């Protein structure tokens, strides 16, 4: 069925190749009979405004993003709770959302999967994280980070090299040696616990950091979030646990704990942390993270 598609292409993806390949993706979608409405702009704010106007005016049936997790994150702020769908063509670095949803990590395979998905009668209804705090309200799809994981994420976003997961590893090497674990106050299910932690994450999908399986049991359709907490570790202990993140086996360590919940409040006692979600900055703690079951229509 032909659709009017708002196309959002990250101009920075693939070392600047995003716009060129975005035109090729648009050509393939148009060849399949779809009408393309370009929604990309030079800045994030301009792009956000274009998406918002397209959604509010109902000029599109859905949004197609082309880029990494940040591009998806930008679009879902306007789509949660609406009857418009989101399709995605993975491109660039990161791609944790695409990986978790089985979309692959290359733009060619992404387009080939998207075309038949556009013919499906009903997109998949995914859960979304609603994140509230002094920043207002934001939505996240994959993982919210609030510990060393958030500080590493923020640092990695400031690097121009290397690309992909290696950028995250560079940030770990830079930030870990001088990092002092914070004291957190975490409320889960009405019960508040206070203690020191190295890693604090809330997961709706399984991975972050360009392929680290932080929450292997997370399923974006089960109406539940996973809270992952890691106690402070010595450098040798960290070096022992970290490689297990690639396969999700870090949960076997006595220092790592997982809790299933539909809502959690995270705050720090003393030095604060800026929370990150889907690789993007949210705002300072405290934040409340609540699951919104089946609130995003996703082509996957």
């Amino acid at each position: 069925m032909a659709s009017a598609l708002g196309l959002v292409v990250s101009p920075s993806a693939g070392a600047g190749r995003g716009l060129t390949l975005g035109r090729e993706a648009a050509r393939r979608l148009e060849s399949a009979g779809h009408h393309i409405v370009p929604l990309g702009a030079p800045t994030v704010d301009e792009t956000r405004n274009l998406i918002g106007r397209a959604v509010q005016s109902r000029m599109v049936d859905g949004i197609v993003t082309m880029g990494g997790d940040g591009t998806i994150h930008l679009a879902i702020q306007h789509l949660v709770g609406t009857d418009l769908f989101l399709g995605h063509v993975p491109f660039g670095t990161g791609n944790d959302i695409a990986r978790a949803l089985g979309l692959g990590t290359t733009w060619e395979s992404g387009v080939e999967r998207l075309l038949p998905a556009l013919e499906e009668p009903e997109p998949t209804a995914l859960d979304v994280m609603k994140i509230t705090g002094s920043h207002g309200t934001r939505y996240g799809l994959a993982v919210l980070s609030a510990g060393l994981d958030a500080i590493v994420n923020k640092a990695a976003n400031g690097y121009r090299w290397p690309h992909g997961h290696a950028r995250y590893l560079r940030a770990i090497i830079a930030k870990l040696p001088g990092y002092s674990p914070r004291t957190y106050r975490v409320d889960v299910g009405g019960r508040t616990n206070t203690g020191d932690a190295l890693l604090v994450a809330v997961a709706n999908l399984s991975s972050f950091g360009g392929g680290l399986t932080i929450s292997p049991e997370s399923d974006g359709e089960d109406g539940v979030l996973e809270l992952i907490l890691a106690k402070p570790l010595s450098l040798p202990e960290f070096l022992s646990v970290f490689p297990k993140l690639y396969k999700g086996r870090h949960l076997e360590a006595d220092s790592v704990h997982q809790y299933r919940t539909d809502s959690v409040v995270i705050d720090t006692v003393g030095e604060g942390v800026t929370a990150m979600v889907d690789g993007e900055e949210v705002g300072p703690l405290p934040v409340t993270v609540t699951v919104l079951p089946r609130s995003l229509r996703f082509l996957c």
Side-chain angles (χ1 to χ4, degrees), residues 10-297:
S10 171
S12 60
R17 293 167 53 234
L19 294 179
T20 299
L21 295 182
R23 286 191 288 270
E24 174 60 21
R27 185 191 65 77
R28 296 192 187 186
L29 291 167
E30 287 176 329
S31 296
H34 301 288
H35 174 61
I36 301 300
V37 180
L39 297 179
T43 69
V44 171
D45 285 342
E46 290 173 304
T47 302
R48 182 183 297 114
N49 290 336
L50 286 174
I51 298 172
R53 286 197 294 268
V55 170
Q56 292 170 13
S57 66
R58 309 290 298 187
M59 66 187 297
V60 295
D61 299 306
I63 302 292
V64 172
T65 51
M66 184 172 180
D69 294 344
T71 315
I72 295 176
H73 180 79
L74 184 63
I76 70 171
Q77 308 310 312
H78 304 276
L79 296 176
V80 172
T82 75
D83 61 354
L84 303 185
F85 61 78
L86 175 64
H88 182 63
V89 178
F91 186 59
T93 60
N95 293 317
D96 286 297
I97 295 173
R99 186 180 293 107
L101 297 178
L103 303 180
T105 56
T106 67
W107 76 272
E108 295 97 333
S109 62
V111 172
E112 292 306 311
R113 291 184 65 94
L114 178 61
L115 288 171
L118 285 165
E119 305 303 320
E120 292 293 325
E122 187 63 32
T124 299
L126 293 180
D127 303 337
V128 171
M129 294 181 287
K130 179 182 179 181
I131 306 149
T132 56
S134 61
H135 62 275
T137 298
R138 289 276 288 279
Y139 300 106
L141 192 54
V143 178
L144 176 132
S145 301
L148 173 62
D149 40 320
I151 290 169
V152 166
N153 189 165
K154 187 173 181 179
N157 286 353
Y159 297 152
R160 294 184 178 275
W161 64 269
H163 297 294
H165 176 60
R167 185 179 299 173
Y168 196 84
L169 294 179
R170 177 189 171 190
I172 291 175
I173 293 170
K175 295 299 179 180
L176 178 62
Y179 181 76
S180 297
R182 272 60 165 176
T183 301
Y184 288 86
R185 184 184 297 113
V186 179
D187 185 304
V188 182
R191 180 177 179 180
T192 301
N193 293 285
T194 301
D196 293 347
L198 180 70
L199 180 146
V200 180
V202 183
N204 182 49
L205 299 178
S206 58
S207 70
F208 73 162
L212 298 175
T213 308
I214 182 67
S215 185
E217 297 177 8
S218 287
D219 177 351
E221 300 178 62
D222 63 1
V224 177
L225 303 174
E226 280 69 36
L227 169 66
I228 312 294
L229 298 173
K231 295 180 179 180
L233 303 172
S234 67
L235 182 58
E237 288 173 329
F238 179 85
L239 294 176
S240 173
V241 171
F242 179 76
K244 297 179 181 180
L245 271 166
Y246 289 95
K247 298 294 185 181
R249 294 184 55 236
H250 58 292
L251 296 178
E252 301 169 1
D254 293 338
S255 56
V256 182
H257 302 277
Q258 174 182 275
Y259 307 88
R260 290 169 62 82
T261 182
D262 58 7
S263 182
V264 58
V265 182
I266 305 171
D267 196 5
T268 52
V269 179
E271 187 176 3
V273 175
T274 297
M276 309 286 288
V277 68
D278 302 340
E280 302 298 315
E281 186 171 326
V282 175
L285 301 181
V287 296
T288 299
V289 187
T290 305
V291 67
L292 299 179
R294 303 176 65 83
S295 57
L296 177 68
R297 303 175 75 233

